[in-house]
């Protein structure tokens, strides 16, 4: 029983470490051939948005809005891939459920 408790404690420490790595990591996504670039943390928090002036047409703000949404989605997809990469091996024995770990979207 003691060995199981030690293994559980070790796994919890590894999960916490992986969560911190995700919070510290940043990934980017882009749209429009790089006209809009979004940066998010590995945990999915939007940290930055860069818009090329060529994308800012005052007569067509809808296209710019679509590019921003697409770039953020692309960055979030990259963040989810990073989450799966970091957390997947650690959660294999837990049925993959991470809802209680504060990582929405997994």
């Amino acid at each position: 029983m003691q060995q199981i408790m030690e293994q559980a404690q070790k796994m919890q420490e590894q999960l916490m470490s992986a969560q911190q790595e995700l919070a510290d990591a940043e990934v980017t996504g882009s749209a429009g051939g790089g006209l809009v670039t979004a940066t998010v943390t590995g945990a999915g928090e939007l940290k930055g948005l860069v818009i090329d002036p060529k994308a800012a047409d005052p007569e067509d703000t809808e296209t710019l809005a679509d590019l921003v949404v697409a770039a953020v989605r692309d960055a979030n997809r990259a963040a989810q891939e990073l989450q799966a990469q970091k957390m997947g091996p650690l959660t294999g024995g837990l049925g993959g459920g991470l809802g209680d770990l504060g990582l929405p979207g997994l």
Side-chain angles (χ1 to χ4, degrees), residues 6-100:
E6 288 173 9
Q7 283 180 318
Q9 178 68 28
K10 184 177 179 181
M11 180 178 264
Q12 183 179 11
E13 289 170 6
Q14 290 173 331
L15 284 170
M16 291 175 65
S17 175
Q19 284 179 308
Q20 186 60 49
E21 285 181 42
L22 286 171
D24 294 340
E26 290 186 357
V27 294
T28 61
S30 65
L35 290 175
V36 178
T37 302
T39 302
V40 299
T41 67
E45 178 187 354
L46 182 63
K47 297 295 276 188
L49 189 63
V50 177
I51 300 171
D52 187 308
K54 294 179 220 164
D57 179 359
E59 301 295 320
D60 185 15
T61 58
E62 289 177 9
T63 297
L64 178 56
D66 289 343
L67 290 173
V68 169
V69 169
V72 171
R73 283 185 181 154
D74 189 42
N76 278 324
R77 178 204 45 78
Q80 288 177 345
E81 287 177 8
L82 183 61
Q83 288 172 357
Q85 191 177 45
K86 293 275 187 197
M87 302 298 281
L90 297 173
T91 59
L94 299 176
L98 293 178
D100 293 338

